[in-house]
Amino acid sequence: MRTKSLSSLWVLAAFCVPGVAVAQHFSFGAVVGAGITDGFQDQTFRGVDTITHFSSDSKDFIIGPSVELGLPFNVSVELDALYRRLHLADSAVLAPSGSFNSSTTVGTWEFPLLLKYRFPTLIPWAKPMVEVGPSFRGGSGADASPSSHGITLGAGLEAKIIKIKVAPQLRFTRWGSDNPPLIFAAPHTKVNQLEFLVGFSF
């Protein structure tokens, strides 16, 4: 029994010790930015006596916390929890009563899990970087049901100012198709999303 227990401990150590050696450091921070592309598609639905048009009436602000695990060879893994309110404009023409306009927001949370690589440079305080990984999303409202998964690509520059790392970047996410809508004339989010973000980490 004791021999078996010692064997188990050696197996556990064989997995844990490399993991501790590989994991360099954790960093915490925040990400802020805005959507460059609109959150919703321009769509027009025609009924028997109605015409409904959906679009985005403003750009979306993005903010949330971030955590990063540093690995060897200029590689790291980053996980963000980003809150983004998708702005939706709705205009409808109702015959014969007239027309109306309204606007609302759909709150979403985006969770990109990104593998990041920093290119070595001669400038120690500034490094170009690229990132790739899956993204997950939750949130619905206003008869909209955004897709829950996608793939994200990003590129930017990380600069170290005193003890704070500042990383402006562009991120492109290709989302899957929206979940089945609750009604026929429902707004659909844009599948291709481009965001400008700035990360701050310590």
Side-chain angles (χ1 to χ4, degrees), residues 14-202:
F15 283 96
C16 293
V17 171
V20 173
V22 169
Q24 299 297 301
H25 66 273
F26 275 102
S27 61
F28 302 88
V31 177
V32 297
I36 296 177
T37 51
D38 292 331
F40 286 95
Q41 302 178 23
D42 285 338
Q43 296 174 278
T44 300
F45 295 93
R46 299 179 182 274
V48 176
D49 55 359
T50 62
I51 300 176
T52 304
H53 180 74
F54 294 112
S55 63
S56 289
D57 55 0
S58 63
K59 301 303 181 183
D60 309 317
F61 184 73
I62 303 167
I63 189 170
S66 174
V67 62
E68 185 172 343
L69 172 63
L71 301 173
F73 309 112
N74 297 316
V75 176
S76 63
V77 177
E78 180 178 337
L79 174 63
D80 303 330
L82 305 179
Y83 181 69
R84 178 174 178 176
R85 298 178 67 184
L86 306 179
H87 291 78
L88 175 66
D90 178 6
S91 62
V93 178
L94 308 175
S97 57
S99 62
F100 74 91
N101 299 296
S102 65
S103 62
T104 186
T105 59
V106 177
T108 64
W109 281 95
E110 300 177 5
F111 301 94
L113 179 60
L114 304 174
L115 183 67
K116 181 185 296 184
Y117 177 75
R118 296 173 177 83
F119 294 92
T121 65
L122 297 177
I123 305 174
W125 52 269
K127 295 181 179 180
M129 63 181 186
V130 293
E131 54 192 10
V132 62
S135 285
F136 306 94
R137 180 168 61 179
S140 62
D143 297 321
S145 187
S147 169
S148 60
H149 60 277
I151 185 72
T152 295
L153 303 172
L157 180 69
E158 182 183 88
K160 189 172 184 179
I161 304 175
I162 308 178
K163 293 186 178 181
I164 301 177
K165 294 179 181 179
V166 181
Q169 58 194 278
L170 289 174
R171 279 187 189 173
F172 171 80
T173 301
R174 171 76 178 187
W175 293 104
S177 300
D178 282 1
N179 299 314
L182 300 178
I183 59 176
F184 169 72
H188 290 79
T189 60
K190 283 194 172 183
V191 175
N192 297 319
Q193 292 286 344
L194 184 63
E195 302 170 343
F196 173 74
L197 303 171
V198 180
F200 301 90
S201 59
F202 305 90

Side-chain angles (χ1 to χ4, degrees), residues 6-22:
L6 289 175
S7 300
S8 300
L9 288 175
W10 278 113
V11 171
L12 181 61
F15 283 96
C16 293
V17 171
V20 173
V22 169

